[in-house]
Amino acid sequence: MALRTTELGAGPHALTTTAFGYGAMSLAGAYGPIDEPAALTLLQEVTGRGITFIDTANIYGLGLSETILGRFLEGRRDDIILATKCGIEPKGEAGKRSINGRPEHIREQIELSLRRLGTDYVDLYYLHRPDPDVPIEESVGALGELISAGKVRSIGLSEVTAAEIRRAHQTYPITAIQSEWSIFARDVEEYVLPTCAELGIGFVAFSPVARGLLTDGFDPEGLGENDARHKFPWFAPEYLEPNHQVANKARLLAADAGIPAAGLALAWLFTKAEGAGLSLSVIPGTRYVEHLDELLAGLDGQLSVELVAALDALAEEVRGDRSFSPQWVSGGREGLLPRASGK
């Protein structure tokens, strides 16, 4: 299957890759159990459908996602555009996280990631979150050094503001910005996306189907005890059913359009990106092969102005913030404005 491609970034550090990628957090069991044989089979199906962009991070399963990918990449590394991240680390109590953007940490973590991935370079290396205690210029300078060392081909940032993007890009060319963007999560649209379009920086959208809410098979009663979504306000007891009803409206619109809800959610993103002059790749994650086909159904869809407007309006009905902690989305800072709790 030949998928549409996109070029992230510009100049010598630009990356040409599939506009549909795979987010590999699911391989670490964040949304439910998956054993290694099943994960390797899933990755085979992912690449068999023409998807060549795979995104992971060192924190996913504390290295488990990278380790599984390393085994899968044996003999096929040159066929994959591989992205990983550093900058979030476990701290103290189980499940707690801290942000670390110090240059020495970045240099240390790339070595550990390369070892787990079984490769001597990654195509795109992100700072997973900006460290409030480290100037963004220092973190980006360390990332740029990794390009000079041949360990990284391009660099990116995740969950940053427009002002941070500009400062970072002046320090070293940024290829991609990654943040959450979906029909439900719209805060990047005011500042971050226009800045990316202006500077020629690509955008990578994670959770493009709102962590499963915008899929036909989502069951509000079906979240397992250890499902990471329990941490997110959209899935809190007081918000889950109202948000499920909002998603039902999207499902009805998808049915009228003749495509799965997940496919419609991605078609909406590509339509919005095209209108904004933005280079986009989306990186949904799944543990199920059948979900891949639902997602892929929207890649070439052309949505009417009326349908886009109807989907746009749904964001006003969503209840709760998109993340469990402001620090993980730079909440309250320009360009990543949290939804008021309860709205």
Side-chain angles (χ1 to χ4, degrees):
M1 175 185 292
L3 298 182
R4 65 192 292 177
T5 61
T6 190
E7 185 169 277
L8 302 175
H13 304 302
L15 282 179
T16 299
T17 187
T18 46
F20 183 109
Y22 177 73
M25 188 167 74
S26 297
L27 301 183
Y31 299 130
I34 181 171
D35 60 27
E36 184 172 319
L40 293 172
T41 297
L42 176 65
L43 289 168
Q44 185 65 52
E45 294 289 342
V46 165
T47 55
R49 282 159 171 75
I51 299 164
T52 60
F53 185 29
I54 299 180
D55 178 281
T56 187
N58 61 355
I59 197 66
Y60 297 163
L62 301 180
L64 177 60
S65 177
E66 288 184 330
T67 299
I68 291 173
L69 275 169
R71 293 181 181 133
F72 176 74
L73 290 171
E74 293 178 9
R76 52 169 66 91
R77 175 65 186 92
D78 292 342
D79 299 327
I80 301 298
I81 298 295
L82 180 63
T84 193
K85 315 177 195 73
C86 68
I88 297 178
E89 58 182 353
K91 180 181 181 181
E93 183 182 345
K96 299 296 183 182
R97 301 286 186 264
S98 63
I99 298 173
N100 189 342
R102 297 192 306 271
E104 60 269 26
H105 180 74
I106 291 170
R107 288 190 287 266
E108 172 192 71
Q109 291 302 308
I110 188 61
E111 299 298 339
L112 296 174
S113 287
L114 292 176
R115 190 179 310 160
R116 286 188 291 264
L117 290 164
T119 183
D120 56 4
Y121 74 97
V122 294
D123 298 284
L124 178 57
Y125 197 46
Y126 290 98
L127 182 66
H128 208 158
R129 294 292 188 274
D131 188 333
D133 298 323
V134 178
I136 195 76
E137 292 85 352
E138 291 186 18
S139 298
V140 169
L143 291 171
E145 290 173 3
L146 300 180
I147 293 179
S148 299
K151 297 173 182 179
V152 170
R153 291 189 172 176
S154 63
I155 62 174
L157 304 169
S158 180
E159 296 281 31
V160 286
T161 67
E164 288 166 338
I165 293 169
R166 292 184 184 280
R167 288 167 52 196
H169 197 58
Q170 289 176 350
T171 303
Y172 204 95
I174 303 298
T175 292
I177 298 299
Q178 183 177 137
S179 193
E180 185 169 0
W181 188 26
S182 72
I183 292 167
F184 272 37
R186 309 288 297 279
D187 50 277
V188 294
E189 293 181 2
E190 186 171 2
Y191 299 109
V192 170
L193 299 186
T195 300
C196 289
E198 175 192 340
L199 298 178
I201 299 172
F203 190 83
V204 176
F206 72 77
S207 297
V209 294
R211 303 183 189 276
L213 274 164
L214 294 168
T215 61
D216 290 315
F218 179 76
D219 177 6
E221 302 296 327
L223 302 184
E225 182 180 352
N226 296 320
D227 194 305
R229 284 172 288 192
H230 288 298
K231 299 177 182 178
F232 292 86
W234 287 346
F235 300 87
E238 65 269 32
Y239 296 142
L240 180 55
E241 184 54 33
N243 288 335
H244 182 50
Q245 294 307 315
V246 177
N248 278 338
K249 295 181 181 182
R251 283 185 271 275
L252 290 173
L253 292 170
D256 288 342
I259 59 176
L264 181 67
L266 297 194
W268 176 86
L269 280 171
F270 285 111
T271 300
K272 299 287 282 190
E274 184 176 353
L278 186 71
S279 296
L280 173 71
S281 187
V282 298
I283 51 167
T286 183
R287 292 173 292 145
Y288 303 106
V289 172
E290 57 268 28
H291 291 173
L292 288 174
D293 296 322
E294 295 176 17
L295 291 157
L296 289 166
L299 287 190
D300 295 317
Q302 295 296 317
L303 304 188
S304 68
V305 172
E306 293 78 14
L307 181 51
V308 170
L311 293 168
D312 283 348
L314 296 181
E316 295 302 316
E317 302 180 39
V318 175
R319 300 293 182 264
D321 296 340
R322 68 175 172 91
S323 184
F324 56 87
S325 175
Q327 70 168 324
W328 302 116
V329 295
S330 305
R333 300 191 295 147
E334 176 195 75
L336 288 163
L337 307 177
R339 178 180 299 280
S341 180
K343 182 179 177 185

